[in-house]
Amino acid sequence: MRVQAIRLFGDPVLRSVAEPVREFDRELRGLVKSLTITMRSGAGRAGLAAPQIGVPARVLVYDYDGKAGHLVNPRLELSERKVTADEACLSAPSAWWPLERSYMVVARGRDMFGKAVTVRALGVLARVLQHECDHLDGVLFSDHLPADERARFLATVAP
């Protein structure tokens, strides 16, 4: 396994809706390992979704504050309580922006072997899971910003 290149804002793959995983096989396990290695290859990285390395599969990995793992075909249940905090994306390096997200989530999905998994998360980890699930739907975190804020953000990440 090697560190994969992370696709940057402007790459059309980031706008694609990822396909559900149907085969829980060696290829999937390799993808999870590759995502994990890539996520951990830099400081401050807390999550990564398969589309960010060009793979259109509904798979994400996370590692924050002692909680690490992966989810295949995740679904989120969001709390009504919202909180605004700075958020960043590996696909837009060095750009942080305040964004409102649910404070708590319950994420349900499968592990790389097909076993059911439930992750309950608060605060930053909840934010990470929401952010990475957005990537699986072709949504970038800047899409959640008001139009004027989005324009300012995109100006900071323009090539």
Side-chain angles (χ1 to χ4, degrees), residues 6-10 14 48 52 89-93 131 135 140 157:
I6 295 175
R7 304 296 180 96
L8 300 177
F9 270 49
L14 295 175
L48 188 64
Q52 289 180 276
C89 181
L90 296 176
S91 294
H131 181 106
H135 276 300
L140 302 175
V157 300

Side-chain angles (χ1 to χ4, degrees), residues 6-7 13 16 20 31-32 37 39 46 56 69 80-81 83 88 90 95 128 136-137 154 157:
I6 295 175
R7 304 296 180 96
V13 74
S16 301
L31 174 59
V32 170
I37 288 167
M39 175 186 60
E80 290 184 24
R81 180 180 171 197
V83 64
L90 296 176
V128 168
L136 302 180
D137 292 326
L154 292 174
V157 300

Side-chain angles (χ1 to χ4, degrees), residues 16-154:
S16 301
V17 176
E19 292 294 320
V21 172
R22 300 192 195 302
E23 301 288 327
F24 293 82
D25 56 10
R26 180 185 296 187
E27 185 177 337
L28 175 62
R29 291 188 293 281
L31 174 59
V32 170
K33 289 176 186 170
S34 186
L35 282 166
T36 301
I37 288 167
T38 302
M39 175 186 60
R40 291 181 175 161
S41 70
R45 295 178 173 190
L48 188 64
Q52 289 180 276
I53 62 168
V55 179
R58 297 190 74 77
V59 180
L60 64 84
V61 296
Y62 61 90
D63 188 351
Y64 182 77
D65 200 26
K67 284 193 168 184
H70 65 278
L71 288 166
V72 178
N73 300 330
R75 300 170 319 282
L76 297 181
E77 298 167 20
L78 306 174
S79 70
E80 290 184 24
R81 180 180 171 197
K82 308 285 185 192
V83 64
T84 300
D86 282 348
E87 190 164 320
C89 181
L90 296 176
S91 294
S94 304
W96 291 80
W97 216 264
L99 181 66
E100 183 180 79
R101 295 266 193 191
S102 290
Y103 177 71
M104 183 182 81
V105 301
V106 176
R108 299 180 197 284
R110 302 271 172 198
D111 70 10
M112 67 177 114
F113 302 102
K115 180 182 174 198
V117 174
T118 300
V119 179
R120 289 173 174 74
L122 302 171
V124 175
L125 183 55
R127 178 174 297 276
V128 168
L129 293 173
Q130 290 169 80
H131 181 106
E132 301 311 333
C133 280
D134 275 353
H135 276 300
L136 302 180
D137 292 326
V139 174
L140 302 175
F141 86 97
S142 57
D143 296 342
H144 296 291
L145 299 172
D148 61 326
E149 289 287 313
R150 184 177 323 113
R152 284 201 318 244
F153 171 79
L154 292 174

